[in-house]
Amino acid sequence: MSDDRQHTVLVLGGIRSGKSAFAESLVADAPAVRYVATAAGGEDDPEWLGRIEAHQRRRPQSWSTEETGADPARLTELLTEAKPDDTLLVDDLGGWVAALLDPARQPNDDEADVAALAAAVRSCAARVVLVSPEVGLALVPTTPVGRAFADALGTTNQALADACDRVALVVAGRPVWLKPAPEPAVAFPTVPPVPASAEPPAGSPADAGSRAEVVSPPAHVVSPPADEPTHVVSPPAVEGSVRVPEVVNEPTMVLPLVASATVIEAGMDLPLPDGDAGPDARDRLATVDFPGTGLGRLVEAVEFAAGTQGTVTPQPWSAVRVLLISGRHAGGAAAGDDAEDVERRVAQVENGEGVLSRLAGSAGADIAVLRTGEAAPMEDGPTTTDEEVERGLQQGWQLADAAAEAGKDLLVLASIGAGTDAVAAAVSAATTGAEPVAVLPRVLLPGGVFDDESWMARCAAVRDALHRIRREPRGAKDLLRELGGPDLAVATGALLGAAARRLPVVLDGPVGVAAGLIARDLASQTRHWSMLVDAGDLELVRQGGDVLGLTPVLDLGLGLGEGANALAALPLLRTAVGLASAIGPHPATLPADEGEPDFTEPEPDGPGPATTSPE
């Protein structure tokens, strides 16, 4: 059952409304989902089979599929047999009604079958999300069969809407909750601007010709402390790349804010990417005039760009910001980590040096660097306080806001810290049930030497922390307080803020994936705005990505550091997206009247000489 206690949900929507993608987002937090497919037939219909394949590609590998098309009574049985820990996604009831009305099953008491299904949903012990077409807004069908289907589906929708805890209607990819009608989870109140005559707060940036406008958050919103500045660094461009603007240093509290009174809590209703543009862009690639078989696995990047940009011909990302979070964790989690070396690498980035800065300069990206406070040992007690968790979430949200306000079209989540791998492994184990020793990365020392003693110390810290919280609540904020610490809270808030601003995010390593796992329990839509470029050789990233439904676009085995891996692959991703939108269809795929016309030389009007000679 979900943390927000939405036990049974009915999702209604028209054709291509995005209802299926929204329903999938509602169960994204489940470690395993039983997908109940009701469609039957279509073996001789390539277009219908293509729709089914598009749905199949979206499902994580951890999901199992149950086909009920041939026997509609099987759906009622599955609901009756389901256990409390199960999660079922039924897509959709239109196929179930079509099978119910099959002439081969007549005569039959169809109303009794609908009543039995509603009763099974009402008494089901599992978490259930049902998808159904909304046909009540269309014209009355002109055929008896069409009217019978519309009537039966309308009756079914009414019965299940009464049986379910919540009902949502999806229109143009935007969900509207019909039952119940909750207060909006995200509020954007009007905040009066600071008068032009007001003096800026101490430390606020001002250039020669303008003064930075500061929007002060209401008193009940926690502002990031002034001693945790965020430096937005534009690394020097390397040879052959585009030079980026000069360095800008701003404390986080004066970054431009849009949602200054955001309420971050479970069940947030954030936007989803375009549910049709991505699959349509993938289908379009089959017709593009590529000389070979096409883009291979890079198709995933094209589909992601299309969905997040809302177009079948997306453009390569041109304004990238890297959000580098430097966190420190005390205790066994940091065994084998050198705090001085961590600080040296962060200072390198701030000075425009090192691997991350060079790759950012090559990509034309800037880097926002944030140092967070030290987290307490997770094996001994909570790593931070509830107030610090709230502050970190707000701070991350504001950083994503700042990136969107600066015109960025892609956010790369990066991390350089001490103890972050062990904390990410603990969060992964707590949220997905993964075995900690199977996902905890080995400890690599300078010179390529593995420190197995430190790895065992980290294992012990993760084990003790999980044992300590075995009877504690496992909500998102609970995990951040008990295990995650301030840095993971900031990363989680950034994912939420990016989704709210429709800003796509690249996850690249343990901290990003752990933040994604926590963010899905606050707003499951966040995973649809996230892309995993490469899992490297880390099982923690691979398993966490699979639970989030994120398949790595590439399999390069990179180990350049969290954030640097994504920047190294970014030129290839940009090339794929650019080719997908710039290259037109092959002439053979065009209709006859749209292809190149056959050219025939016109006949002369009358007889003429075969040759000409000067007179």
Side-chain angles (χ1 to χ4, degrees), residues 67-135:
E67 302 281 351
T68 65
D71 181 15
R74 177 60 181 155
L75 175 58
T76 303
E77 295 175 1
L78 289 174
L79 294 170
T80 304
E81 298 167 357
K83 299 178 181 179
D85 293 335
D86 291 342
T87 299
L88 277 69
L89 173 58
V90 181
D91 194 358
D92 66 13
L93 294 177
W96 182 81
V97 169
L100 198 67
L101 299 178
D102 188 342
R105 299 185 74 253
Q106 303 304 321
N108 181 66
D109 190 351
D110 299 331
E111 293 185 0
D113 288 338
V114 172
L117 179 63
V121 169
R122 188 175 284 108
S123 61
C124 184
R127 180 183 179 188
V128 182
V129 175
L130 304 108
V131 181
S132 185
E134 175 51 61
V135 297

Side-chain angles (χ1 to χ4, degrees), residues 22 173 277:
F22 175 69

